[in-house]
Amino acid sequence: MGNVAVTNIKVYAYHGCLPQETLIGSDYRVDVEVGADLTKAAVSDNLSDTVDYVQINAIVKEEMKIPSKLLEHVAKRILDRIFSEISMVNTVSVSVAKINPPIGGDVESVSIKLTAHR
């Protein structure tokens, strides 16, 4: 077993419950960590034997383009796509952070984290 992490994926997207959030948009940061058996890749040195982090990044960017009211909903879609498209993945952890949220205070970010197992 091993882990592949893609961290600090920066995306501009249009999520939120307030009308201005889906109109103006905001900066987001997404972190993904997947667990899989990486033993074969460690020996073979072949991309086909591991989890392709380029594919993870593409999934995140595509799902972040689809507006949602809740960050949990976006994270769940990312989890589902990773499990659907990358069969060797056994666990997925996705963190989605809204940078500088419009909550009337000096807050760097708000974030949620979902973890799921196959």
Side-chain angles (χ1 to χ4, degrees), residues 2-112:
N3 294 315
V4 174
V6 185
T7 58
N8 204 20
I9 303 168
K10 296 175 184 171
V11 182
Y12 197 86
Y14 300 87
H15 307 298
C17 294
L18 302 174
Q20 69 264 29
E21 291 178 295
T22 56
L23 205 68
I24 298 168
S26 186
D27 289 310
Y28 292 83
R29 184 187 70 242
V30 181
D31 298 316
V32 178
E33 185 168 352
V34 300
D37 183 354
L38 304 178
T39 309
K40 187 174 180 183
V43 174
S44 73
D45 197 27
N46 288 324
L47 179 60
S48 62
D49 293 331
T50 192
V51 177
D52 185 354
Y53 49 79
V54 172
Q55 184 177 7
I56 291 173
N57 186 57
I59 289 169
V60 168
K61 288 186 173 187
E62 290 169 13
E63 291 302 324
M64 290 296 289
K65 286 181 183 177
I66 303 167
S68 292
K69 292 179 184 170
L70 301 177
L71 300 180
E72 294 87 342
H73 189 254
V74 180
K76 176 73 165 83
R77 288 199 321 262
I78 293 168
L79 284 170
D80 290 346
R81 284 243 349 242
I82 290 171
F83 279 138
S84 172
E85 296 179 22
I86 310 173
S87 61
M88 71 182 300
V89 169
N90 297 314
T91 63
V92 180
S93 193
V94 177
S95 175
V96 180
K98 180 180 283 192
I99 309 303
N100 196 22
I103 60 175
D106 187 12
V107 177
E108 180 181 321
S109 67
V110 294
S111 65
I112 61 92

